[in-house]
Amino acid sequence: MSTLNQVDLNDFYTVLKERHSVRAYDPTVKIPREELKEIVELSLSAPSSSNLQPWRFLIIDEPELKEKLLPIANNQQQVVDSAAVIAVLGDLRSYERAEEIYAEAVRIGAMTEEVKANFVERLQKGYGSMGTDRLYQISLLDAGLVSMQLMLIAKAKGYDTVPMGGYNAEQFAEAFEVPETLKPILLIAIGKAAKPAHATPRLSADRVTYFNAFQK
């Protein structure tokens, strides 16, 4: 491994070790929208089922809207003190963008037009025939993948985050007029910690890992 690659790897390890969930934020810190968009953009390389990328993001950074969100999120103070709250939602009709996604694959030479046409047809029929519950389960997994990547990217850029599942999804959808095809999955507060975060205990790999069979 080259010296440059080793430095890059060490930087990644540092991000992994230093990323902790932060609940106390400096309310004076603001993050420019262009930087928030860059964080989201970088996170979009996360994998997803059939590369349909069902994640959608609603970034809430206006103070009055964060106040509106506060009771919906069980009055968690980070909602108003953080620079922004990123709502991660799952698009239950993401398969309708298959043509757009795989047309780009043709453009860059990753597949032929014929292969693309057949693949898109199968995707649209397959996902289109799934029930809402199954599509939601798929979007949950994909949203988790992109959310973790987003939080690591934020830490690499010097920001802190905390994922929040403790909120009323139905009230959120109503308050923010979320289209019916989008399902709220996770809220992520992002900003700068008001005080140093602390590590939380983790079970060791030996406690959670098995090879080939589960021990009796």
Side-chain angles (χ1 to χ4, degrees):
M1 182 180 293
S2 69
T3 302
L4 178 59
N5 287 338
Q6 186 63 57
V7 169
D8 291 345
L9 187 59
N10 286 337
D11 287 345
F12 179 65
Y13 285 155
T14 298
V15 170
L16 285 177
K17 291 178 180 179
E18 293 188 356
R19 191 221 64 82
H20 303 297
S21 292
V22 168
R23 291 176 174 79
Y25 288 85
D26 181 346
T28 68
V29 172
K30 308 300 178 187
I31 303 177
R33 289 187 173 180
E34 283 304 310
E35 191 165 15
L36 288 168
K37 285 175 63 178
E38 182 185 17
I39 290 170
V40 170
E41 184 72 35
L42 290 169
S43 75
L44 300 182
S45 63
S48 62
S49 177
S50 300
N51 194 32
L52 290 178
Q53 307 159 53
W55 41 66
R56 306 291 179 259
F57 305 90
L58 178 65
I59 300 177
I60 301 166
D61 63 354
E62 294 182 2
E64 62 272 22
L65 292 180
K66 290 193 290 180
E67 289 287 353
K68 181 179 180 179
L69 176 58
L70 183 61
I72 296 172
N74 299 323
N75 295 309
Q76 297 179 77
Q77 189 62 30
Q78 63 264 26
V79 167
V80 291
D81 286 346
S82 61
V85 175
I86 302 174
V88 184
L89 307 99
D91 186 350
L92 302 187
R93 303 193 69 168
S94 61
Y95 57 88
E96 294 181 351
R97 294 191 179 184
E99 175 67 34
E100 175 187 350
I101 292 168
Y102 284 98
E104 180 65 12
V106 172
R107 189 190 71 79
I108 64 176
M111 62 171 53
T112 66
E113 177 65 35
E114 181 181 5
V115 169
K116 182 266 292 183
N118 290 333
F119 190 58
V120 167
E121 183 180 6
R122 291 199 306 273
L123 284 179
Q124 291 180 338
K125 285 183 178 178
Y127 282 83
S129 65
M130 291 181 186
T132 299
D133 289 347
R134 177 59 179 149
L135 290 170
Y136 179 64
Q137 289 300 316
I138 291 172
S139 69
L140 281 177
L141 172 60
D142 293 343
L145 293 169
V146 78
S147 295
M148 190 68 251
Q149 189 142 306
L150 186 152
M151 289 186 287
L152 289 172
I153 290 164
K155 188 61 184 177
K157 290 176 68 64
Y159 296 110
D160 298 292
T161 57
V162 61
M164 295 179 287
Y167 71 103
N168 189 307
E170 291 76 17
Q171 290 180 9
F172 179 88
E174 181 178 358
F176 290 90
E177 300 181 347
V178 176
E180 289 186 2
T181 57
L182 301 185
K183 298 301 178 184
I185 294 175
L186 187 70
L187 303 179
I188 302 174
I190 180 171
K192 293 262 190 178
K195 57 184 180 182
H198 60 84
T200 51
R202 293 293 189 270
L203 295 171
S204 70
D206 287 339
R207 298 283 290 161
V208 299
T209 307
Y210 305 88
F211 284 93
N212 303 315
F214 291 98
Q215 299 171 357
K216 299 289 185 180

